[in-house]
Amino acid sequence: MSDPELDYQLLSELTHAPEASQRSLAVRLGVSLGKVNYCMRALIDKGWVKVENFRRSDNKWAYAYLLTPSGAVAKMRLTRDFLARKEQEFESLQAEIDALRMEVAAQGSLVEQRGRRRGRAAMR
């Protein structure tokens, strides 16, 4: 079973660079070549990507990975889901940051109060 986030990232990369090799995709996405190969096969099996051979200028055969119409629809759905997950992560991080700021402010107040008490005690 492939990972929806990796599917999204692969479809996104292929939209911009259909001639990208699986090796370059693996490097850009920070995953293994085997994982990219596995996910690409899954995308092809789902009918979201089709493969076309072409001859590169250095006389080697290469592939172009093209999104199919159903792949474009899937990419839109995956993009929407990805955005929703990232917005939820953002909101969670914001809440955590707010809580940490309140904790720091509360600790800062306590430290200031203790410092004032010590200062008064030293003046006596």
Side-chain angles (χ1 to χ4, degrees):
M1 173 174 255
S2 78
D3 171 17
E5 190 163 328
L6 185 56
D7 287 349
Y8 161 73
Q9 291 172 334
L10 280 169
L11 292 173
S12 217
E13 288 287 331
L14 294 176
T15 299
H16 303 294
E19 74 291 342
S21 69
Q22 288 187 10
R23 186 172 307 281
S24 69
L25 289 168
V27 169
R28 278 196 294 243
L29 299 176
V31 297
S32 71
L33 177 58
K35 184 156 185 148
V36 168
N37 182 271
Y38 176 82
C39 290
M40 288 296 290
R41 287 178 187 261
L43 294 176
I44 292 165
D45 289 345
K46 290 176 186 177
W48 295 355
V49 173
K50 69 178 180 176
V51 182
E52 290 191 359
N53 291 335
F54 67 94
R55 190 176 278 277
R56 292 193 330 208
S57 60
D58 56 4
N59 291 327
K60 291 184 181 178
W61 285 101
Y63 300 101
Y65 298 100
L66 306 172
L67 266 64
T68 63
S70 64
V73 169
K75 180 179 176 267
M76 181 59 66
R77 181 181 47 78
L78 289 168
T79 301
R80 192 174 42 249
D81 295 346
F82 181 78
L83 179 60
R85 276 192 311 277
K86 293 302 175 184
E87 286 175 335
Q88 180 58 46
E89 288 174 19
F90 176 77
E91 290 170 8
S92 295
L93 281 171
Q94 278 297 125
E96 188 176 346
I97 288 168
D98 291 343
L100 289 170
R101 284 183 176 147
M102 288 174 34
E103 183 180 332
V104 167
Q107 289 175 354
S109 307
L110 288 174
V111 169
E112 287 176 18
Q113 288 174 1
R114 288 180 186 151
R116 280 189 227 133
R117 281 189 219 138
R118 287 185 185 145
R120 286 186 204 138
M123 290 180 172
R124 292 184 191 168

